[in-house]
Structure formats: structure tokens, C-alpha cells
Amino acid sequence: MRYIQDCEIVAHDLVAPKHWRMRLRSEDIARAAQPGQFCMVEVVETLYPFLRRPMCFSEIHDDGFTLLYKVEGEGTQLLSQRVPGQTCSIQGPLGNGFPIAPELERHVIVSGGIGVAAFPALARALAETCGRPPEVILAARTRELLLCADLFRSLGCTVHLATDDGSAGEKAYAARMLERLGPGPGTLVYACGPMIMMSTTAAVAARAGASCLVSLEAQMACGDGACLGCVVESKVEHEGEKMVRVCVDGPVFDAALIDWEAHNTAYDL
Amino acid sequence: MRYIQDCEIVAHDLVAPKHWRMRLRSEDIARAAQPGQFCMVEVVETLYPFLRRPMCFSEIHDDGFTLLYKVEGEGTQLLSQRVPGQTCSIQGPLGNGFPIAPELERHVIVSGGIGVAAFPALARALAETCGRPPEVILAARTRELLLCADLFRSLGCTVHLATDDGSAGEKAYAARMLERLGPGPGTLVYACGPMIMMSTTAAVAARAGASCLVSLEAQMACGDGACLGCVVESKVEHEGEKMVRVCVDGPVFDAALIDWEAHNTAYDL
Amino acid sequence: MKNPVTVASGTFGYGEEFDRYFDVSLLGAVTTKSISLKPRAGNKPPRLVETPAGLLNAIGLQNVGIDRFLSQKAPYLRTRNATIIANIYGHSPEEYAELARRLEAEGAADAIEANLSCPNVHDARTAKGAVLVSQSCEAITVYTQAIRDATRLPLYIKLTPNVMNIQEPALAAEAAGADGVCLINTLLGMAINPETRKPRLANIVGGLSGPAIRPVAVKMVWDAARVLRIPIIGTGGISGAASAIEFLLAGATAVSVGSMSFRRPDTALRVVEGIAEYLKRHQIADVNQLIGAMQA
Amino acid sequence: MKNPVTVASGTFGYGEEFDRYFDVSLLGAVTTKSISLKPRAGNKPPRLVETPAGLLNAIGLQNVGIDRFLSQKAPYLRTRNATIIANIYGHSPEEYAELARRLEAEGAADAIEANLSCPNVHDARTAKGAVLVSQSCEAITVYTQAIRDATRLPLYIKLTPNVMNIQEPALAAEAAGADGVCLINTLLGMAINPETRKPRLANIVGGLSGPAIRPVAVKMVWDAARVLRIPIIGTGGISGAASAIEFLLAGATAVSVGSMSFRRPDTALRVVEGIAEYLKRHQIADVNQLIGAMQA
Ligand SMILES: Cc1cc2nc3c(=O)[nH]c(=O)nc-3n(C[C@H](O)[C@H](O)[C@H](O)COP(=O)(O)OP(=O)(O)OC[C@H]3O[C@@H](n4cnc5c(N)ncnc54)[C@H](O)[C@@H]3O)c2cc1C
Ligand SMILES: Cc1cc2nc3c(=O)[nH]c(=O)nc-3n(C[C@H](O)[C@H](O)[C@H](O)COP(=O)(O)OP(=O)(O)OC[C@H]3O[C@@H](n4cnc5c(N)ncnc54)[C@H](O)[C@@H]3O)c2cc1C
Ligand SMILES: Cc1cc2nc3c(=O)[nH]c(=O)nc-3n(C[C@H](O)[C@H](O)[C@H](O)COP(=O)(O)O)c2cc1C
Ligand SMILES: Cc1cc2nc3c(=O)[nH]c(=O)nc-3n(C[C@H](O)[C@H](O)[C@H](O)COP(=O)(O)O)c2cc1C
Ligand code: FES
Ligand code: FES
């Protein structure tokens, strides 16, 4: 099921500099949404910005869902000005969520910066279905950008903090932290964050024989597979195509399929 | 003095179907503004709608001013969604206000529909400087669109109501009401409303030997005399030009100078 | 067509992507993504950049190729009872003719739209002079005749706005046997990221679409309508019924909704409904009364 | 010019209208409204209609004429210490030459910009083929040479984007002796009110400007920069420093802020300041290092 609904903004708070949490009401979308899926958010009613903005479901509640986003440019800046009581048009859920595999031994979430957005919903689902909450590596530039740590702890997760400037946790890169946790063939790693963080994390997992899923970003117009704008190059052909669409073939991909070099060049990240 | 200021929205209320009253804070603009002048309002931060919207000062307070507007299209629709606490960029005051002439015997305001917007500020100024509050003819399509009647009464004005459907006051056109008040050579009529109402009011005044000032509308881009977009045809040349600019040569004009036929064709009203 | 509303090629996939939002058989027709003989991978990403009230794209005609179109995409649309306008793209008049022939032979299209105007399949750095087929009246003649000879299906020629006077290519298409023209394809454009100093599209140049270009498109439809006897499908920045009606009044016989489907997947359906509501409100019996009915 | 930022003709009046918002001598130059030999009344209203992220205008070159320009407008700008680019419009090469001669003789301009591209002074209903001077390379040559012979002031030729390939008219202007070109004037466009079925402009057709057209303008500047040796003034939808820098990176030597001055009268000054801030942040010593510095 896919919906386009005007959802009421229930709460909207600045949680760190330039980072906002917005709770929206929609029982339909909440019922249909899976961790790792995303929605397309209309940031303003008028047609500039023209396109919706993709945002993943950060938390999924009984009566709605929560977005967690960073102000990057014009669109998210305008979104941040909306206030509770107003409505916001949401299209979703879209894309493929994270597969939940209780049979695996170990689940490790590796999150960098705003890449954390999708993980509270995933952590809750894993905690509920796998018996054991996932381990979480939470990395960010600086202390105040380490988001959702308490939320993960409240779900029972062990949280390993890392910052680039050493202001909290370890002064280390996320991939290095993963290496030290000693992943193995029975480990499933879920990574989301800057491109370089995902590619290095994928490399660490590969060397250890662990599986690694990444959640990718790309410029999107439709979110529905129609515009062919959001493609990334895959190492393996998918239905005869070298180009896979982040919106419908992803956003969650097996890291081993992604041509990281091509992707880095394209998005310059 | 002209300002471009981000003014705080102090209050914003729906006063009749599709009609809003917005109070903004700015001591600078309030100090500089004259009844009949207008400002250019940025309805959204983003560039669609691209242009500001002209709105006259409806009331002028010590610490700010009030706008009274009707939702006509996209721009005013977006403006109506803003909430107190947010700011709104205002450019002004612009244009020429109403001349205040205490030496004249009689002052009659003739208002049609949202044309009433400029008159509360004018009525107060006249009441304060002329010793005697102006008479007001307040016409609208229907009862609930007769705005500001109590405000005028609180200033001591005699208010004559008229509606097209007879739901309040008389079922009569404003120009006809003016005729019955018997204006004469010592009377100054101030008219604002639909084009047809202003032209018929001007004709009544002319026949009675009364002066008549009208406040015109036109499509505006700059509000400052630069774009030459807001012109109307004048019967008399102004600095060698047949075309006069509503923004800087008006918006208040002597009705006798306006080529009503050309203006009606142009704006199709 | 049961109503004068279709969707613009490349903005509605193969129709199936939108089936989950509404019943696509309610549209006058579904116009599909440009199909070539061989599947095409398209350009490298980034392929999209948003611009003020618009969108630049350089997809590069990624498509599944005629074989998969015939075996999967068209049959699916048929199960949905959609009228199909198949948009085609080739590298020579012969390729276009071959595509048209196969589509007709397999009953996979109710009409053909030949894209002679895609801005994203040439290297912008070296291009000089006429680089799109529809920038040359001679080329339009040759291509249109070749396709005309290959099919009896209604044939629409899609033209580029990047010309000095749209009347010339439109008349060339008409003279060569087209049943109609589609106006407009995207306007050439580009954008640069000041922080990285790189072009925002991997292809550097792309095609501009969306509400931003609507005034340009309406003008071109009006220009063409004054000289053509064949119908025009008006396209460019339609965002709802009001803007669709603008195109009809300017002289378009039908309209196609393009990029706006990205913002609201059900825009085309809303346009169908909005036009019906408008006709009722204005007590107009037949939508054809609106065509070219601007009162200048 | 003390900095590479000016304003677009017709969007900044004669400069004096903006003097109350900031000191106009802080701009590289003030480009004034097109001036003709006789005063012009311009077109009938409505002359403006807003479009998505843009503006259609059909002012029709209303202006005070060269006499009042020389006696009032230029002297006022001189008292404000502004550098003046005087934009001129005539009905023949001789009229342009005469305007240039008088401006130079009276010291009323530091440079001349010849508007060979105003879309609002022809009857759109009957126009066929090349209707603007700058749609014909031959005409550009004749007009440019005539003005060139009349003045030694720096001469910029302002071109229309309504051509197939902007390189041709740009090269024609260069070959005929222009010191630079100004790209772009407005794109032809129109809009219709569906409720009244009337065109929204009394002139029916107008010129489209504003952020909506920026991608088209950047592309044309980039195209022209690859073949010209003379400087380009980039214009079209500049709304702040970031978009101004886009034009420089594409190859413009200077930029002019147009319609955005309507939205924010101090935009041009903000662009001056924003470019300075950008150069500092990126540790670039000279703004000229940005010109054509896109990394493709
Ligand atoms: C599937 C998916 C899920 C996402 N979930 C989240 C989320 O939960 N929280 C969050 O903060 N962000 C998320 N993003 C990224 C978010 O969509 C972009 O930050 C946002 O679109 C930027 O919009 P803007 O108008 O503010 O920035 P713009 O002015 O459009 O651009 C600012 C910068 O952001 C980049 N950008 C723009 N659009 C995208 C995009 N679609 N993807 C990646 N980069 C982009 C631009 O290249 C530019 O560098 C997600 C993206 C995708 C594809
Ligand atoms: C000097 C001046 C003072 C004004 N004061 C007020 C006021 O106090 N309260 C108030 O409600 N309105 C006032 N107006 C009119 C107001 O500016 C328009 O209603 C508004 O701009 C419409 O914007 P929109 O985006 O909602 O409508 P649009 O979608 O832009 O247009 C909707 C309709 O309004 C017409 N319109 C658009 N702009 C103008 C304009 N500038 N003038 C006249 N008609 C226009 C259009 O032609 C169209 O028919 C004033 C206009 C002027 C020129
Ligand atoms: C992402 C995208 C892909 C497109 N692909 C095609 C295509 O394959 N074939 C074609 O003829 N036109 C293509 N177009 C052009 C559209 O069909 C249409 O002519 C143009 O976008 C203008 O309409 P709009 O402003 O409503 O989008 C594409 C446009 C976009 C935005
Ligand atoms: C209201 C208006 C009036 C204009 N008048 C002139 C003019 O007199 N002469 C001229 O050469 N260009 C004129 N132009 C074109 C601008 O100078 C500029 O080339 C165009 O608007 C594109 O820039 P922009 O998108 O930044 O506005 C005018 C533009 C507008 C919007
Ligand atoms: S966003 Fe359109 S195909 Fe993915
Ligand atoms: S609004 Fe620009 S001259 Fe009046």
C-alpha cells in the first residue's frame, strides 16, 4: 500500500543544531511502514522547491511516525519552519526496508551523522524479533550530533560512541570501531552515513566475512521508479540493468553489489 | 524613509470567510506610515510566488500596524497560513497616502468589499485632525463581509451599510448611497473598492461638484517606480507621461484624472 | 482518446509505476518512456537537479528496449485497459521506422510519438549548430516520412523548443505527414554547484521542465496553432487543470502532464477531473470548444 | 568596474529609485532602462504577470527619452558617483548610433549596452521568422558596426535567448566590433487566464525573467564563453551570490541582477558582499580566477 496523505504535525523540535525531529499523524502510513523504508515529504505547498524530499521513517508508532532530519539546503530549511497543528503532505511508504533476519547470530548497526535517522525503528524491530537488541556504533562529527543514543539504550542496545573531534566516546572512525567489535560470518551489519563511511564499513565487513546492508541516498524526483533519476551503478546486473534505482530497488542494498567508486564520484561525498 | 524589515506576526485571525487580519510589529514602519500608503509583503520565503504582494496599512499603531486582506489567489493563500511568532518581510511605507484636509466641510468614505482595508487608519486620522469623524458608506456583497463597522463606530463615524443581497443595511450600490447623502462642493469623497464602484462613485461626486480621491490597484513588481509595470492611463499628462504609476504617483489619485474606461478594460473588473 | 489528458514521456515510466495511485485507464492515454531498439543504460548520475519551480534532467533515455516493452510493459498496460501512446527514439530514420513497425505489428500502441528532441544524448561540449533532429526542418522531413511510411498508426512528432521559430519545424512535420505534433520537450539548461565548482549533472547539460517553463510552452503552442491544421499535444509545466486549460485555450487539442507527476502522482487524474468541473461551471458542452478559444 | 556586479536594464529604473535602499555607487555599475530618442509611452496594462518563480513583462520600453535622460537621470547618477552603463534602443542602426554619440558627447555613460533583443515592441500576432534584431546575424553585424563607428565607449550587445544556437549571434557581435555581449534578455512567453479566457498581458506575449530561467541563461553563457574572446555579462534569474557565482564559473566576466531587485531591492548589493565573502572563504585572491572555472 502507498498513500498520499496530508498528515498533521504533532510535534516538531530542534534536537541539535540544524537537526529536527518531526512527529506526524497517520495510522495508515504507520501500519504499512517498515524500518528502512522512506516517504516523500512535501516541504511547502507552493512549487518551489518543486520536488518532495525523501526522508526515512525514524520511528514508527501506532498512530503515526517520526522523521529525524538535518537542514541541508532550501527544502529542509523551509520544512523546519512548519509548526505543530499544520499539515504536511506525505507520500509513502516507499522502497524496500531492512530485512529482519532473526536467524543470524549478531546484528550491528553502524551509523554516521544523520545516517542514524532510520535506525531507531530498525533497532526496535530487531530487539522485538531477534530476542537480543542490536549493537550500535554511533559516530558523528562532534558530541552534540550523537543523536538517539538514549533511545537506543532504552531499547537495550549497547551503544559505542565515536566522534571525529573526540568530544565524546572515542576519537575514531566508525569502520575502525566495527573492526574492533570483531564481526564474523554470522554477523549482519547495517550501515548508513556518509558515503566514505559506508564504503569503508562495507570493506571491513567483507574482510571479516560478515554481510553488510547499506541504505543509500540519491537525488530523487518520483520515489516510485518512474523517473530513472536516482540510479546508482551496480556491480551486478539487476533485471538486465547495470543501473539500479535507489527508490524501488533500494534504498537498502547489499553493500557487495554497489560500485562504490562510481557512486563516490557521482555524489562527490 | 523606506524600510525592508522582518516583522514579527503578533496576531493573525480569520475575520470573515477568506478575510484575515494580521498584526505586525515594527516601530520604524509604524512611525513612517501614513493612512493610504501601502507596503509590499513577502508571502513566503521561497521564490514562488516570486513577487511581494501590495497591502495597505489598515491600522497604524505605536509599535506596528495591521493588514486586512482577502485571500484572492496563491499568494494570499500562503500568507494566510503563517502563524504568530513567525516573521514576515515587509517593505515600506510606499506610495502617497490620503491628503488630510481639515479645512474641508465634509468627509465621506465610500468603501466596497475589501476596499475597506485602508479606511480604519484614514478614519482615525480624520477624526483626530478634522474635529469631526468622517461619514462612512460600507458596502459589500453580503452581511458577513461588512468589515470594520464597529471600528468605524468606535471612532465616532456614522456608518451607512449596504449589501448587494440585502442581508444587512440597504440593498443598494455604494454610489447610489453617496448620492442620497447629498455631497456638495465642500465634500471630499474617499473611495476604494471594485473598479465599477469607484468609477460610479467618482461620477456621482463629479456631478455634485464634490472632490473624489480613489485608491487604485494594479499588478506591481517593485512598488518603487522602477519596473513601470503598474501603470494606469491618466487623462492628464504627469511629467510628460500619459501613463502614471500606481505605486509612486498613487495609489491615491484624484478620480478626475483617471481614464476609467481604459482602466476597466485593462483590469477586467 | 476518452479525454484530452495524457502524461509526458519519461515522467510516467511505463504507466505501471503509477497504477498504485489511480486507475491509469481513466486518462486519455498513457504516453510511455522513449523506447529504443536496444535497451539503453542512460547517463551517469547525478541525473537530476532541482531548479526554481523546475527540474533539470539528463537521464539519457535509459529504457528497457523494444523487446521488453513488447513482452512486458505494453501487455501490462493492456491488462489495465490503458490507451497507449508509445514514444520512440532511434539513431536513424530506419530505426524509428523499425520501432513503429514493430509496435503496430504487435498491437502495442494506439499511437506513436517520435521523440526527435531529446537534449540528453549528445556530448554538450562539442555540439555545434543543429544537434537535435528537430532543430533542422530537413531532418524532420526525412525522419517523419520514414516513420509515416512504416505505420498507419496516428503519428505525433515531438519537437524541441530550442529553435528560433517553432512554426517552421511544426510545419515541416505537418508537411511530411505527421498527424500531430507534441510541444514542447525540455529547454536546454545547466546548473553549477558554486561550492564544488562542478556541474550539477554528470552530463553537464540537461533539459529543463516543470512549471518554470510553462509560459514558454504556452507561447509555442499558440504560435504553432496559428499555422497548423493538425492537432497539438501541449506539454510543459502543467500543474493542474487551470494550467492545462491554458494550453487548450492557446490551441492545443490535448495536454500531457509531465514533471508534476513527480510531485503529485495523481496530477493527471486531477487534471481530468478539474477540466470536467470547469466545463460544468462554465456550462460548456464540449471540451473542444476550448481549443484555441483564447480571446485576444 | 570596481566589482563584477551590475543590474539588468529595466529592473532598476534609472538607479535613483533604489538609492533609498543602498548606495548605488557600491555596485560595479548601474545599467539603466533602455533609452530611445523619443520618450515612449510603452504598452497598455496589464504589463506584468507572475509565473512560477518568474515574471512575464510587456512594458514596451516606456522611457523618458534621451533628452530627459541627459538632463536629469544621468546627472543624478553622477552626483551619486555611480558608474553608468547606458542601455539604448532604436528603430534603426542610425538611431542606435545617434544615441551612442549623444551619450558619449555628454559624458552620460561609461559604457553602452545596445538592446537588440526586446521582445515587447512587436505585434506578436503577425510576427513571422526573425522579429528581433539579434535573431539575425546579418542584422547584428549591421547594427553593431553602426554603433561601433559612432562611439569609443565600451560597447556591449544584448542578445535574445530565442535562437537555436547562441554562439552564432555572439560571434557576429564580436566580429562586428563589440567589446562584450550581455546574455540573456527575457525568453518569449505568455499566460492565459482560464476564467476570463483572455491573455494575462494586454500585449499577449511578454518576456520571461526571474529564477525560473536561470538554467537556460547559465547554459547560454557557458556556450558563448567557449567560443568568444570578448567578455560576457551574465544575466537571468540571479537571486543571490550563489547564483551569481554560477554565471562566473560558466564563463561570465560580470553579472547583472534583474527581476530579483523587485523582490529585494538590495539584492545587487548582497551579491557584491556575498561574492567577497565567498572569495574569502575559498581563499581566492582575485574574482577573475572564477571566470570560466567550472570543473567539467
Ligand atoms: C531514501 C532517502 C532517505 C533519506 N532520509 C533522510 C532522513 O531521514 N533524514 C535526513 O536528514 N535526510 C534524509 N535524506 C536526505 C534528504 O533527502 C536530503 O538531505 C534533502 O533532500 C535535502 O534537501 P534540501 O532541499 O534541504 O537540500 P538541497 O538544497 O536540495 O541540497 C542540499 C544538499 O543536499 C544534497 N541533496 C539534495 N537532495 C538529496 C537527496 N535526495 N539525497 C541526498 N542528498 C541530497 C544536495 O546535493 C546538496 O548538496 C534521505 C535521502 C534519501 C534518498
Ligand atoms: C496599493 C495596493 C494596496 C492593496 N491593499 C490591499 C489590502 O489592503 N488588502 C487586500 O486584500 N488586498 C490589497 N491589494 C490587492 C492585493 O495586493 C491582491 O489581492 C494580491 O496581490 C493578490 O495576490 P494573490 O497571490 O493572492 O493572487 P494572484 O494569484 O496573484 O491573483 C489572484 C487575482 O488577484 C489579482 N491580483 C493579483 N495581484 C494584484 C494586485 N497587485 N492588485 C490587484 N489585483 C491583483 C489577479 O489578477 C487575480 O485576478 C492591494 C493592491 C494594491 C496595488
Ligand atoms: C525525468 C524526465 C525524463 C524525460 N524523458 C523523456 C523521454 O524519454 N522522451 C521524451 O520524449 N521526453 C522526455 N521528457 C520530456 C517530457 O516528456 C516533457 O516534454 C517535458 O518534461 C516538459 O513537460 P513538463 O514541464 O510537464 O515536465 C522527460 C522529462 C523528464 C523531466
Ligand atoms: C520589467 C522588466 C523590464 C525590462 N526592461 C528591459 C529594457 O528596457 N531593456 C533591456 O535590455 N532589458 C530589459 N529587461 C530584461 C532584463 O534586463 C534582463 O535581461 C532579464 O530580465 C533577465 O534577467 P532576470 O531574470 O535577472 O530578470 C527587462 C526585464 C524586466 C523584468
Ligand atoms: S526517484 Fe524516480 S526512479 Fe527513483
Ligand atoms: S510597481 Fe514597479 S513601477 Fe510601480
Side-chain angles (χ1 to χ4, degrees):
Chain A
M1 264 321 275
R2 271 181 182 62
Y3 300 90
I4 310 176
Q5 285 189 347
D6 289 328
C7 304
E8 191 197 331
I9 301 170
V10 180
H12 196 187
D13 304 294
L14 187 72
V15 294
K18 291 174 114 189
H19 286 68
W20 293 78
R21 183 176 271 136
M22 180 187 264
R23 183 164 172 162
L24 293 137
R25 193 190 312 277
S26 167
E27 286 180 25
D28 296 328
I29 296 176
R31 203 175 305 116
Q34 300 295 326
Q37 285 190 299
F38 68 101
C39 59
M40 295 289 272
V41 181
E42 199 175 83
V43 291
V44 280
E45 239 182 67
T46 178
L47 297 179
Y48 176 25
F50 182 54
L51 301 174
R52 290 169 183 259
R53 295 293 184 266
M55 298 275 163
C56 50
F57 297 107
S58 188
E59 296 166 66
I60 302 167
H61 317 285
D62 288 340
D63 62 345
F65 53 92
T66 297
L67 308 176
L68 180 64
Y69 68 92
K70 179 176 170 201
V71 172
E72 277 288 348
E74 275 182 316
T76 43
Q77 162 63 23
L78 288 160
L79 185 64
S80 72
Q81 289 170 22
R82 310 200 108 188
V83 294
Q86 294 181 324
T87 61
C88 185
S89 171
I90 302 286
Q91 174 185 357
L94 301 167
N96 304 306
F98 294 106
I100 305 292
E103 67 281 10
L104 287 175
E105 226 167 74
R106 199 172 168 194
H107 299 268
V108 184
I109 286 171
V110 183
S111 155
I114 187 64
V116 71
F119 290 134
L122 175 66
R124 180 179 304 271
L126 290 174
E128 281 169 7
T129 53
C130 303
R132 196 157 69 108
E135 294 156 76
V136 178
I137 295 169
L138 194 62
R141 224 164 13 80
T142 185
R143 181 196 191 93
E144 56 190 355
L145 301 179
L146 288 167
L147 305 176
C148 307
D150 289 342
L151 213 161
F152 288 121
R153 288 192 196 103
S154 74
L155 293 167
C157 305
T158 319
V159 183
H160 308 274
L161 301 178
T163 50
D164 293 353
D165 65 359
S167 54
E170 294 198 46
K171 184 170 174 167
Y173 288 123
R176 182 88 190 82
M177 303 271 289
L178 174 64
E179 202 161 32
R180 279 200 272 146
L181 291 187
T187 309
L188 178 51
V189 176
Y190 308 83
C192 189
M195 216 66 78
I196 182 71
M197 183 221 105
M198 288 192 283
S199 60
T200 51
T201 299
V204 167
R207 273 202 303 277
S211 308
C212 180
L213 295 170
V214 291
S215 177
L216 296 188
E217 292 193 2
Q219 300 281 357
M220 289 186 177
C222 69
D224 267 307
C227 73
L228 305 173
C230 65
V231 298
V232 299
E233 288 181 54
S234 158
K235 288 189 189 154
V236 182
E237 293 204 353
H238 173 87
E239 297 187 12
E241 312 262 9
K242 227 187 107 62
M243 294 294 192
V244 293
R245 292 163 298 181
V246 171
C247 64
V248 289
D249 303 321
V252 175
F253 289 97
D254 182 339
L257 299 184
I258 300 305
D259 184 336
W260 290 104
E261 208 178 318
H263 198 46
N264 271 323
T265 321
Y267 284 99
D268 210 12
L269 292 166
Chain B
M1 267 320 277
R2 271 179 181 62
Y3 300 90
I4 310 177
Q5 285 189 348
D6 288 329
C7 303
E8 192 198 329
I9 301 170
V10 180
H12 196 186
D13 303 294
L14 187 72
V15 294
K18 292 174 114 190
H19 286 68
W20 294 79
R21 182 176 273 136
M22 180 187 263
R23 182 162 172 163
L24 293 136
R25 192 190 311 280
S26 168
E27 287 181 24
D28 296 328
I29 296 176
R31 203 175 305 116
Q34 301 294 327
Q37 285 190 300
F38 69 101
C39 59
M40 294 289 272
V41 181
E42 198 175 84
V43 292
V44 281
E45 241 183 66
T46 179
L47 298 179
Y48 176 25
F50 182 54
L51 300 174
R52 290 168 183 258
R53 296 293 184 265
M55 298 277 163
C56 50
F57 298 106
S58 188
E59 296 167 67
I60 301 167
H61 317 284
D62 287 341
D63 63 345
F65 53 91
T66 296
L67 307 176
L68 180 66
Y69 68 91
K70 178 175 170 202
V71 172
E72 277 288 350
E74 276 184 312
T76 43
Q77 162 63 21
L78 288 160
L79 184 65
S80 73
Q81 289 170 22
R82 310 201 108 188
V83 294
Q86 294 181 325
T87 60
C88 185
S89 171
I90 301 286
Q91 173 185 357
L94 301 166
N96 304 306
F98 293 106
I100 305 292
E103 67 280 11
L104 287 175
E105 226 167 75
R106 199 171 168 194
H107 298 268
V108 184
I109 287 172
V110 183
S111 158
I114 187 61
V116 71
F119 290 133
L122 175 67
R124 181 179 303 273
L126 290 173
E128 281 168 8
T129 53
C130 303
R132 196 158 69 110
E135 294 158 75
V136 178
I137 296 169
L138 195 62
R141 221 162 17 80
T142 184
R143 182 193 190 92
E144 54 190 356
L145 301 178
L146 289 167
L147 305 175
C148 308
D150 288 342
L151 214 160
F152 288 122
R153 288 192 196 104
S154 74
L155 293 167
C157 305
T158 320
V159 183
H160 309 273
L161 302 179
T163 51
D164 293 355
D165 65 359
S167 54
E170 294 199 46
K171 184 169 174 168
Y173 288 124
R176 182 90 188 80
M177 303 272 289
L178 174 64
E179 203 161 31
R180 279 199 272 146
L181 291 188
T187 308
L188 178 52
V189 176
Y190 308 83
C192 189
M195 215 67 76
I196 182 71
M197 182 221 107
M198 288 192 284
S199 58
T200 51
T201 299
V204 167
R207 273 202 303 278
S211 309
C212 179
L213 295 169
V214 290
S215 178
L216 295 188
E217 292 194 2
Q219 301 282 357
M220 290 188 177
C222 68
D224 266 309
C227 73
L228 305 174
C230 65
V231 297
V232 299
E233 288 181 56
S234 158
K235 288 189 189 157
V236 184
E237 294 205 352
H238 173 87
E239 296 188 11
E241 312 261 7
K242 228 188 108 62
M243 294 294 194
V244 293
R245 293 163 296 181
V246 171
C247 65
V248 289
D249 303 322
V252 175
F253 290 97
D254 182 338
L257 299 185
I258 301 304
D259 183 336
W260 290 103
E261 206 178 318
H263 198 46
N264 272 323
T265 321
Y267 286 100
D268 211 9
L269 292 166
Chain C
M1 278 169 45
K2 64 182 80 69
N3 60 57
V5 182
T6 181
V7 287
S9 177
T11 64
F12 209 71
Y14 301 102
E16 62 196 21
E17 294 85 349
F18 289 81
D19 206 41
R20 50 181 80 101
Y21 293 106
F22 67 95
D23 175 359
V24 298
S25 76
L26 297 173
L27 300 179
V30 170
T31 305
T32 53
K33 174 77 189 166
S34 283
I35 291 294
S36 49
L37 284 178
K38 298 245 172 68
R40 288 175 57 98
N43 294 326
K44 291 206 176 295
R47 292 174 170 188
L48 293 176
V49 47
E50 218 187 1
T51 68
L55 175 63
L56 273 172
N57 88 81
I59 306 298
L61 295 179
Q62 177 177 342
N63 76 87
V64 297
I66 186 75
D67 293 338
R68 260 182 78 202
F69 183 79
L70 294 175
S71 65
Q72 288 175 22
K73 305 299 181 182
Y76 179 82
L77 279 173
R78 290 301 187 203
T79 66
R80 312 303 295 154
N81 292 317
T83 301
I84 304 176
I85 300 179
N87 182 300
I88 56 175
Y89 173 79
H91 295 94
S92 64
E94 294 69 37
E95 285 195 17
Y96 278 99
E98 165 84 7
L99 286 160
R101 235 184 325 263
R102 292 191 57 190
L103 286 162
E104 181 171 5
E106 308 252 347
D110 300 297
I112 304 278
E113 181 175 272
N115 176 4
L116 301 187
S117 48
C118 181
N120 297 322
V121 287
H122 295 272
D123 186 340
R125 263 158 296 199
T126 55
K128 281 230 177 64
V131 293
L132 312 178
V133 173
S134 61
Q135 285 180 326
S136 152
C137 291
E138 292 72 45
I140 290 171
T141 305
V142 173
Y143 278 72
T144 305
Q145 282 174 348
I147 313 169
R148 179 73 296 168
D149 290 345
T151 182
R152 283 185 309 174
L153 286 174
L155 171 61
Y156 288 82
I157 303 293
K158 187 158 176 187
L159 301 173
T160 176
N162 279 93
V163 293
M164 195 176 80
N165 177 0
I166 196 70
Q167 296 178 333
E168 294 168 8
L171 285 168
E174 179 178 81
D179 296 301
V181 295
C182 176
L183 299 177
I184 57 176
N185 209 316
T186 52
L187 276 167
L188 288 164
M190 69 187 280
I192 306 171
N193 183 334
E195 295 305 315
T196 63
R197 301 204 209 169
K198 292 197 187 164
R200 290 200 187 260
L201 295 171
N203 194 49
I204 306 181
V205 170
L208 184 64
S209 65
I213 70 167
R214 191 193 305 143
V216 172
V218 172
K219 162 77 163 61
M220 293 209 168
V221 166
W222 184 64
D223 281 346
R226 280 172 300 148
V227 299
L228 289 186
R229 277 156 310 156
I230 55 175
I232 300 168
I233 303 177
T235 314
I238 292 172
S239 58
S243 44
I245 292 164
E246 256 192 275
F247 280 87
L248 298 176
L249 293 170
T253 302
V255 294
S256 57
V257 172
S259 312
M260 188 66 189
S261 293
F262 301 150
R263 170 73 174 248
R264 287 220 61 123
D266 59 353
T267 305
L269 181 63
R270 287 164 165 239
V271 169
V272 172
E273 294 167 350
I275 291 175
E277 185 271 325
Y278 174 94
L279 294 176
K280 205 163 160 190
R281 184 156 48 84
H282 288 264
Q283 300 183 300
I284 298 170
D286 183 354
V287 66
N288 291 309
Q289 287 175 251
L290 290 180
I291 299 170
M294 179 179 86
Q295 280 153 25
Chain D
M1 275 167 50
K2 63 180 82 69
N3 61 56
V5 182
T6 181
V7 287
S9 178
T11 64
F12 208 72
Y14 301 103
E16 62 196 21
E17 294 85 347
F18 289 81
D19 206 40
R20 48 181 82 102
Y21 293 106
F22 67 95
D23 175 359
V24 297
S25 75
L26 296 173
L27 301 179
V30 171
T31 305
T32 53
K33 175 78 189 165
S34 282
I35 290 294
S36 48
L37 284 178
K38 297 244 172 67
R40 287 176 57 98
N43 294 326
K44 291 206 175 293
R47 292 176 170 186
L48 293 176
V49 45
E50 220 186 358
T51 68
L55 174 64
L56 272 172
N57 89 82
I59 305 298
L61 295 179
Q62 177 177 344
N63 77 87
V64 297
I66 186 75
D67 293 336
R68 259 182 78 201
F69 183 78
L70 294 176
S71 65
Q72 289 174 22
K73 305 300 180 182
Y76 179 83
L77 279 172
R78 290 303 188 201
T79 67
R80 311 303 296 154
N81 292 317
T83 300
I84 303 175
I85 300 179
N87 182 300
I88 56 175
Y89 173 80
H91 295 94
S92 64
E94 294 69 36
E95 284 195 18
Y96 279 97
E98 165 86 6
L99 286 160
R101 234 184 326 263
R102 292 191 58 190
L103 286 162
E104 181 171 5
E106 309 252 348
D110 300 297
I112 304 279
E113 181 175 272
N115 175 5
L116 301 187
S117 48
C118 182
N120 298 322
V121 287
H122 295 270
D123 186 341
R125 263 158 297 196
T126 55
K128 282 233 176 62
V131 293
L132 311 178
V133 173
S134 61
Q135 286 180 326
S136 152
C137 290
E138 293 72 43
I140 290 171
T141 305
V142 173
Y143 278 71
T144 305
Q145 282 174 349
I147 312 169
R148 179 73 297 169
D149 289 345
T151 182
R152 284 184 308 173
L153 286 174
L155 171 62
Y156 288 83
I157 303 294
K158 186 157 176 186
L159 301 173
T160 177
N162 279 92
V163 294
M164 196 177 79
N165 176 1
I166 196 69
Q167 295 177 334
E168 293 168 9
L171 285 168
E174 179 178 79
D179 296 302
V181 295
C182 177
L183 300 177
I184 58 177
N185 209 317
T186 52
L187 277 166
L188 288 165
M190 69 188 279
I192 306 171
N193 183 335
E195 295 304 315
T196 63
R197 302 204 210 169
K198 291 197 187 166
R200 290 200 187 261
L201 294 171
N203 194 50
I204 306 182
V205 171
L208 182 64
S209 64
I213 70 166
R214 192 193 303 143
V216 172
V218 172
K219 161 76 162 59
M220 293 212 167
V221 166
W222 184 65
D223 281 348
R226 281 173 300 147
V227 298
L228 289 187
R229 278 157 308 156
I230 55 174
I232 299 167
I233 302 177
T235 314
I238 293 173
S239 58
S243 45
I245 292 165
E246 256 192 275
F247 280 86
L248 298 177
L249 292 170
T253 302
V255 294
S256 57
V257 172
S259 312
M260 187 65 190
S261 293
F262 301 149
R263 170 73 173 247
R264 288 219 60 122
D266 58 353
T267 305
L269 180 64
R270 287 163 163 239
V271 170
V272 172
E273 294 166 351
I275 291 176
E277 185 272 323
Y278 174 94
L279 294 175
K280 207 164 159 189
R281 185 156 47 83
H282 288 264
Q283 300 184 299
I284 297 169
D286 182 354
V287 66
N288 291 308
Q289 287 174 252
L290 291 179
I291 300 169
M294 179 179 86
Q295 280 152 25

